[in-house]
Amino acid sequence: RQSISFRSSTTRSLSPMPSEPEFQHTAVILIGYQNDYFAPDGILRGLIETSRAEVLRRTVDFVRRLQDSGVLIIVTPIVFTPDYSELVEPSGILKAIKEAGAFRAGTPGCETVPELLQFGERIVTVPGKRGLNAFTGTALGSVLRQEGVTDVVLC
């Protein structure tokens, strides 16, 4: 079995993606790639401890290498109603999100970062996420079963 490996260097580049049939059962789920985290004016941009530009560059490079593979690539954006009525007594990061006014429906902050939009339909959007769990209230489980996914990578 081949695996994705990193070459030893200060910038750690991915080796080319193998095109073995086993990757036909793999999904990569991109978590949190929304403007409120990554845009220069994003409400929660301070929560990304490493360079936002570097995280996006590496993610785009990774997705580009997966583009011609059989790997299913998914985003599950978190989007709240304007009044956050779905959050009852939130704590931790969800409390911070509500207090900051992040990821509200209809705002630019809840949209997927533009750097990933270049991949068009190659990235599947599974809507409905209203908390930290991408399976609750979404069709993510159904999509993974329908596509025969047996291995999931979270990014």
Side-chain angles (χ1 to χ4, degrees), residues 59-140:
T59 302
V60 168
D61 182 54
F62 181 57
V63 171
R64 186 172 290 117
R65 291 171 188 273
L66 294 174
Q67 195 166 5
D68 295 325
S69 73
V71 174
L72 178 63
I73 307 168
I74 298 173
V75 292
T76 59
I78 188 168
V79 179
F80 296 103
T81 56
D83 65 356
Y84 296 93
S85 59
E86 59 274 81
L87 294 180
V88 179
E89 297 184 33
S91 61
I93 186 68
L94 293 177
K95 182 177 181 182
I97 287 170
K98 182 178 179 180
E99 288 174 354
F103 305 120
R104 283 186 295 151
T107 66
C110 74
E111 295 173 6
T112 298
V113 295
E115 291 84 352
L116 292 178
L117 298 178
Q118 67 182 302
F119 298 101
E121 293 181 6
R122 183 60 181 90
I123 297 178
V124 176
T125 299
V126 177
K129 184 174 166 187
R130 300 278 188 264
L132 301 179
N133 187 332
F135 289 91
T136 302
T138 74
L140 181 58

